[in-house]
Amino acid sequence: MTKKLRITVFLLLGTMLFGIFTNVLSKKWNYIDSVDNIGMSLRKYENFYGNIDVFFVGASNLQYAISPMYLYEHNGIVSYNLSSGGMSIECTKFLVADIFSKGYMPKVIVIDPNILFDEVKSESSFRRIMDNLPLNREKLKYINNYLEATRNRDLSSDRIREILAWVSPLYRYHERWNELEAADFYSSKDDDYFMYGYYSYANIASSNNDRATVEYIDDMLATLGESKSYSSLIIKNNAEIIEDLNDICIKNDCKLLLLKTPMQITALEHPSSWSKLRHEAARNFAKQYNITFIDLNYDVDIGIDWAHDTCDHGIHMNLNGAQKVTEYIGDYLSKNYEMLNYPNPDYDKHKELYDKYMAASHIATAYELKDYLEYIKKSNLNIVVIMSVANGMRNGLSDKDMETLAEFGLKSDFKNMGDSSSFIAISDGNKVLYEQISDSSQTKYMTIEDDSYYIESSGYLDGNRSSIVINQNDLSLNQRGINFVIYEKDSGMVIDKAYCDTYVNEHDVVHESAWEIFEYQQYLLGRK
């Protein structure tokens, strides 16, 4: 081997190792460690095929509320959600400029007006974006502006090290060895990313406040001026940046739209709470600069159910709320702007993965028994559905509930079952494979393909227990009423654990958590 060849091989190996270590050690900036949503979203945006008519750029309120694929399916609009948790207005400006510099020709850019009032300067809010975009002149300019605003201005050794830490993630994160988790070693298949920036949260956590309470507390804090974390006064620098963004859009034959997504939480609980005073300030600002402003809290009622449409007590939309927001904005865009509504091969290619994910997500966020069983039945997923009763299910079971169970395919005589009778059922979603009511405790063992199932059910007088064991793992929530476990056979994953306490008259389907859906998303993305 010649000296020249040895040097070439050495450089190639060094470059490969540098890339591997950078990818593993770089912080992933995820809400949940195993879900690389932000990084995959930005990398997909870098390599998107075709033009994008609408961009959504803002903080997590937009990220949770707008589903580009749902917008495409229902309105034919090709869009992308570039929002990220805690995004600063400087990051918003950078991304809007980046959109046009990459040659995209959007008709509309949508941003969250809350950004007029919030001053975000944390490193994490900047790095969520910067660490996932390639180095170029605009990025260097933005990094320098950030450092000037937050650090000393001289070119000291500390300043040089800070610049290097932004330019090279490996330099910044080389000491993360003791923080590494399994997710750091996953290789994301960005080409299969089908969410297009939307952060779907299949969880239900109702708002603890009504609108009057939010207005009273927020307006009191804003009026007294004693809260450093909350104000209804527009920050001058932020207003100037929005003016600049509006000018950039006008120059590129694009419209800027301010969209406030539904939010119902007080400023005592969250600093970005949305109040009547903020609404009025944003409306007056938008009117002054001839910018369209839509407030889904005060201007338009889209039917948000604050008991079921939010994932974290009124801050963000869950799947149910996001579909309502996306449907409204899709109809508004179609009616008020000249959308091209052309087929996009990237979207079409990912429809099958998206449909599977949404089918599982609908199951995990349905709260009425009828909706829950209907979503299971029409999901077309390769699933096994197991039901097991603990304590009893008959006492609060209505005629409507019994009709729902019959429509699902169950033939048992629920009307004449005892209040503390046990019940077991197994279904593949379309066909009931086994069902049995008993006045005493009962068990059932079944093997389906390569998976083993052991189910136990006992009423209040016979043990008061539900057990649903799949491949030696007990997955039942063991709550009073009907316990459900939904097992997806292709992935070997549980996509939902829930119960419905039909022993009482008022009974929602209650799900354990959204974790199963996050894990299933990773399977569909090839990361499991």
Side-chain angles (χ1 to χ4, degrees):
M1 184 182 293
T2 65
K3 182 178 180 180
K4 185 176 181 180
L5 182 58
R6 286 199 299 270
I7 292 173
T8 301
V9 171
F10 176 79
L11 290 175
L12 287 173
L13 288 174
T15 302
M16 289 173 59
L17 289 173
F18 180 84
I20 292 170
F21 285 128
T22 297
N23 183 60
V24 170
L25 289 170
S26 293
K27 192 172 178 65
K28 304 304 183 291
W29 299 116
N30 306 318
Y31 294 114
I32 293 182
D33 288 339
S34 67
V35 183
D36 185 19
N37 190 70
I38 298 167
M40 293 187 77
S41 172
L42 290 170
R43 292 191 295 272
K44 180 72 174 180
Y45 152 74
E46 283 288 315
N47 300 286
F48 188 81
Y49 182 81
N51 190 46
I52 297 172
D53 280 344
V54 182
F55 280 96
F56 299 88
V57 188
S60 56
N61 294 102
L62 272 179
Q63 187 182 24
Y64 282 67
I66 302 293
S67 170
M69 183 66 93
Y70 193 77
L71 194 61
Y72 180 72
E73 280 194 325
H74 287 262
N75 300 93
I77 297 173
V78 178
S79 65
Y80 208 99
N81 196 331
L82 283 177
S83 304
S84 171
M87 185 185 290
S88 67
I89 195 163
E90 289 85 2
C91 271
T92 302
K93 181 179 181 179
F94 170 81
L95 284 173
V96 170
D98 192 67
I99 288 167
F100 292 112
S101 71
K102 283 182 167 53
Y104 289 117
M105 297 178 289
K107 302 288 184 181
V108 183
I109 290 180
V110 182
I111 63 175
D112 187 337
N114 230 349
I115 209 164
L116 287 164
F117 307 92
D118 294 337
E119 189 170 13
V120 181
K121 293 294 183 184
S122 67
E123 179 182 356
S124 63
S125 69
F126 292 86
R127 283 197 173 275
R128 282 192 184 103
I129 305 301
M130 291 299 139
D131 283 0
N132 288 297
L133 290 175
L135 186 64
N136 55 37
R137 181 181 298 178
E138 285 299 314
K139 181 174 176 177
L140 284 172
K141 178 182 175 182
Y142 177 81
I143 290 171
N144 187 62
N145 290 342
Y146 168 76
L147 292 175
E148 284 191 359
T150 57
R151 303 286 191 272
N152 58 71
R153 295 168 180 266
D154 64 340
L155 279 175
S156 63
S157 59
D158 288 342
R159 175 66 180 278
I160 293 172
R161 282 197 293 270
E162 285 179 338
I163 293 175
L164 184 59
W166 279 88
V167 172
S168 172
L170 183 59
Y171 181 84
R172 171 65 176 83
Y173 302 119
H174 68 277
E175 296 180 347
R176 280 194 70 233
W177 293 104
N178 61 341
E179 300 176 21
L180 294 180
E181 299 179 359
D184 287 299
F185 296 91
Y186 289 146
S187 179
S188 299
K189 294 183 179 180
D190 301 337
D191 186 57
D192 289 337
Y193 181 66
F194 54 84
M195 300 303 286
Y196 301 98
Y198 168 51
Y199 195 80
S200 174
Y201 206 159
N203 188 55
I204 298 175
S206 62
S207 172
N208 299 320
N209 307 282
D210 56 23
R211 176 54 55 184
T213 301
V214 173
E215 288 184 8
Y216 175 77
I217 293 176
D218 291 6
D219 291 354
M220 179 182 65
L221 290 173
T223 302
L224 292 175
E226 295 177 356
S227 174
K228 294 182 180 180
S229 63
Y230 189 77
S231 172
S232 62
L233 299 177
I234 293 175
I235 299 171
K236 182 181 178 181
N237 176 66
N238 295 16
E240 291 173 351
I241 290 177
I242 297 299
E243 292 173 40
D244 291 342
L245 294 182
N246 192 40
D247 290 340
I248 292 172
C249 288
I250 291 172
K251 290 177 183 177
N252 288 276
D253 195 26
C254 175
K255 298 292 185 181
L256 187 65
L257 190 157
L258 302 180
L259 173 67
K260 187 69 207 88
T261 56
M263 193 174 190
Q264 191 157 289
I265 195 163
T266 71
L268 292 175
E269 302 165 282
H270 195 275
S272 292
S273 173
W274 188 253
S275 65
K276 185 71 171 178
L277 289 175
R278 283 196 172 189
H279 162 81
E280 292 173 350
R283 181 188 61 192
N284 292 335
F285 172 85
K287 184 177 181 180
Q288 180 181 353
Y289 294 97
N290 197 29
I291 301 172
T292 301
F293 171 62
I294 301 173
D295 189 340
L296 300 183
N297 298 278
Y298 291 103
D299 294 335
V300 182
D301 181 1
I302 62 170
I304 293 296
D305 175 0
W306 289 106
H308 300 104
D309 291 350
T310 172
C311 62
D312 48 11
H313 307 293
I315 305 172
H316 302 100
M317 296 287 94
N318 62 15
L319 176 71
N320 301 323
Q323 289 197 345
K324 292 177 181 179
V325 175
T326 305
E327 282 180 10
Y328 172 81
I329 197 63
D331 292 343
Y332 181 88
L333 291 169
S334 296
K335 182 179 179 180
N336 292 277
Y337 301 94
E338 294 182 3
M339 297 287 111
L340 296 180
N341 297 350
Y342 49 83
N344 182 275
D346 199 281
Y347 274 76
D348 294 335
K349 181 175 71 172
H350 294 119
K351 188 178 186 308
E352 183 179 354
L353 288 176
Y354 171 79
D355 286 346
K356 286 184 176 182
Y357 176 74
M358 293 308 293
S361 297
H362 279 302
I363 291 170
T365 51
Y367 52 89
E368 292 186 358
L369 183 60
K370 182 177 180 62
D371 290 340
Y372 185 61
L373 295 180
E374 283 183 353
Y375 278 128
I376 290 172
K377 199 171 182 66
K378 69 181 184 182
S379 71
N380 292 322
L381 296 173
N382 188 16
I383 58 178
V384 174
V385 183
I386 305 104
M387 305 181 200
S388 167
V389 167
N391 189 293
M393 67 176 279
R394 176 64 184 93
N395 189 63
L397 202 66
S398 66
D399 290 342
K400 180 180 177 182
D401 292 329
M402 286 184 272
E403 289 177 10
T404 294
L405 294 171
E407 289 170 359
F408 186 70
L410 297 170
K411 301 184 185 304
S412 295
D413 185 7
F414 296 106
K415 196 173 189 67
N416 294 308
M417 76 184 300
D419 285 347
S420 63
S421 294
S422 63
F423 176 69
I424 289 174
I426 305 172
S427 167
D428 64 3
N430 292 302
K431 178 183 178 182
V432 175
L433 306 176
Y434 175 87
E435 61 178 306
Q436 181 68 47
I437 292 174
S438 176
D439 291 333
S440 60
S441 63
Q442 60 172 311
T443 60
K444 175 64 178 177
Y445 179 81
M446 182 179 285
T447 299
I448 303 175
E449 296 176 3
D450 296 327
D451 300 305
S452 62
Y453 302 84
Y454 173 81
I455 306 100
E456 179 183 344
S457 172
S458 54
Y460 178 73
L461 300 175
D462 296 293
N464 190 20
R465 173 174 169 76
S466 164
S467 179
I468 301 173
V469 179
I470 302 177
N471 299 329
Q472 301 183 340
N473 296 307
D474 195 343
L475 303 164
S476 174
L477 298 182
N478 193 27
Q479 297 294 313
R480 186 174 67 182
I482 310 172
N483 293 270
F484 297 90
V485 172
I486 316 298
Y487 178 72
E488 206 280 328
K489 292 190 290 183
D490 291 338
S491 62
M493 291 180 169
V494 171
I495 60 173
D496 192 44
K497 292 184 282 187
Y499 72 93
C500 185
D501 186 5
T502 56
Y503 194 84
V504 295
N505 292 329
E506 299 294 329
H507 40 258
D508 278 358
V509 176
V510 180
H511 307 271
E512 182 188 40
S513 71
W515 182 253
E516 287 82 10
I517 298 301
F518 283 123
E519 291 288 283
Y520 186 58
Q521 182 194 74
Q522 296 310 289
Y523 162 76
L524 293 175
L525 291 171
R527 287 165 56 86
K528 288 288 184 184

